[in-house]
Amino acid sequence: MATTLSDAKLLDSKYPFPLRKLHSLCGIVPMGVFLCEHMLTNSMAFGVGGAEKFNDSVHFLHGLPYLWALELFGIFLPFAFHIIYGIVIALTMAPNVRAYNYVGNWRYFFQRITAYFAFGFIVIHLFNYRFAHWAIPEKEFIGSLNPFELTRDGLYAWTPFGGAQVAAWFMIALYWIGLAAVCFHFANGIWSFCITWGIAISEKAQRRVGVLAAAIGILLFLGGGLGLVGLKNAETQIAPATEEAPMHHEEAPMVAVLEG
Amino acid sequence: MEKEIHFKIKRQQGPDAQPYWEEFKMPYAPSHNVVSALMYLREHPTNTRGEKVDPVVWDCNCMEEVCGACAMIVNGEPRQACAALIDDLEQPIELEPLTKFPLVRDLMVDRQKMFDALQQVKAWIKVDGSWDIHRHAPLVSPKVQDIRYLFSRCMTCGCCMEACPQFHEGSSFVGPAPLGQVLLHNSHPAGEYDKEERLHAVMGDGGITDCGNAQNCVKVCPKDIPLTDAIARLGRQTTAQWLRDLFTN
Ligand code: SF4
Ligand code: SF4
């Protein structure tokens, strides 16, 4: 990691312009486009028949031709580049939000803070779902028969440290904060993309673009939020599909607390 | 009770010395500004503990907010001391040197970095050559003149650099003021001849891509220079230049 970072720093001082352009473009296409699609799919989990719609959507995506290439060049490589190079950029910040308490300065600061947070979140998220079957052989691939159940399982019955209750709370909090961080980072990214690429120039134009970007961010947050709520609600609607009944141990400690 | 002017000044004997705060009080007089008050203190360098100390060192020149030399942090805000009127300031008035430039002594810093940056981005216009550039004085529309006038007021004071979270010792960023000057010189009829060189200069290390859009610079500039406007305009010019480099040249 350290050598990657110093290599990236060296490259940055040599070719800052094309690299920064590629970095910001990467955040919009393909990463932003992917995020929009992802939140759209997630939002389908909400409401009556949500499970079916969600599953259809996931199966459709996993049925796309050349999926491996789409994933590699459309998701993983751009992510890796955006993240590694993004760290190089974020490290050049000397934060001064307390001395210069302006909205713009906080936005700039949070763009970098949310980046670090989103990075951690996405790594956990990927191992929680996309690569779970690599790490834990008995886990099924997320794209298989019932993605909805697997997703619900991964979110609300996740027990890494033993205590089911603690882990579930941690996971749910992580997902809500992660979702907010990603949406903020993307919305602010759209705004600064428009400035650095010379699309929005005047203060007014920058404000207009800012409003649009904020609207996109809020919409995505709502989409993702619908998904989280939809998955949560489903636990009361749908009986656990397997005999393992993953939600069992959630109740036990609760009762113990009440009785104790 | 006689009115007083109360100063808290961050002092430092030299670049490597330890900084310390020292307080001074002087009799009130109307219409003082920070520089004129510092001049009084230079004649009466006695701190609030009654000790006679070395007079406070600071830099100043024009006394009308056009030279940039007296930039310092007044009550937490980077600005020109000459234009900071005592009557407008909350007391005790805290004075600190700018932090992004090498300290010389007390409130005096070395702003050489700024002038180096102007050189780096080629913020000048070549007027003499072996060829005849213009037969007549070039025409500039009043609209362009108005915009250029805004940027021409930059006094290289460094306030914008002080507030910029991307401009510091560990970064090679040229800072906001020089970027404004690139725009100024690119929009001059004769300066336009070297537009490409200037754009290439700000597309290199420490150039425009180091800006993180925190937009503090525009908030603190004592001359209200639309720096973020300049940076966005340069964003467009450099993007276009990059595409020209890729597909035309
Ligand atoms: S005193 Fe100052 S000198 Fe002075 S800078 Fe003012 S602007 Fe000029
Ligand atoms: S742009 Fe404004 S703050 Fe920056 S150096 Fe020029 S006058 Fe000072």
Side-chain angles (χ1 to χ4, degrees), chain A residues 106-207:
Chain A
W106 280 103
R107 198 165 45 199
Y108 156 88
F109 178 67
F110 276 126
Q111 183 68 357
R112 281 139 186 86
I113 297 304
T114 53
Y116 286 121
F117 192 89
F119 172 37
F121 166 64
I122 290 168
V123 168
I124 294 176
H125 178 51
L126 283 176
F127 280 98
N128 193 18
Y129 289 132
R130 179 60 182 78
F131 299 119
H133 63 294
W134 286 10
I136 308 160
E138 56 267 29
K139 283 246 183 190
E140 269 178 272
F141 173 57
I142 188 74
S144 51
L145 278 181
N146 197 341
F148 185 88
E149 277 306 316
L150 283 171
T151 310
R152 202 165 64 78
D153 233 57
L155 192 53
Y156 293 101
W158 193 67
T159 58
F161 315 117
Q165 202 70 305
V166 174
W169 273 110
F170 169 78
M171 219 45 184
I172 292 158
L174 179 77
Y175 269 78
W176 279 105
I177 301 171
L179 173 66
V182 168
C183 291
F184 174 87
H185 189 82
F186 179 53
N188 195 53
I190 296 174
W191 177 77
S192 56
F193 174 90
C194 288
I195 293 171
T196 54
W197 282 75
I199 294 166
I201 307 268
S202 70
E203 203 189 319
K204 270 190 201 158
Q206 292 189 12
R207 215 172 312 131

Side-chain angles (χ1 to χ4, degrees), chain B residues 121-122 124-127 131 133 182 185-186 188-201:
Chain B
V121 302
K122 304 179 202 293
W124 65 80
I125 288 163
K126 291 180 200 155
V127 282
W131 62 91
I133 294 178
V182 167
H185 290 92
N186 278 359
H188 186 279
E192 235 175 295
Y193 297 146
D194 301 308
K195 186 173 169 181
E196 204 168 300
E197 280 75 36
R198 270 182 225 107
L199 289 179
H200 281 147

Side-chain angles (χ1 to χ4, degrees), chain B residues 80 114 151 153-161 176-178 181 217 220-225 227:
Chain B
Q80 302 311 115
M114 291 207 64
F151 290 99
R153 294 174 307 161
C154 175
M155 53 186 172
T156 356
C157 65
C159 291
C160 55
M161 323 279 262
Q181 294 309 297
C217 52
V220 299
C221 173
K223 292 295 193 182
D224 292 328
I225 294 175
L227 290 161

Side-chain angles (χ1 to χ4, degrees), chain A residues 72-100:
Chain A
L72 187 64
F73 298 109
I75 303 174
F76 296 126
L77 287 180
F79 265 65
F81 170 70
H82 193 85
I83 287 166
I84 294 171
Y85 192 53
I87 293 174
V88 172
I89 296 173
L91 286 176
T92 64
M93 156 174 79
N96 56 8
V97 280
R98 267 197 285 163
Y100 301 95

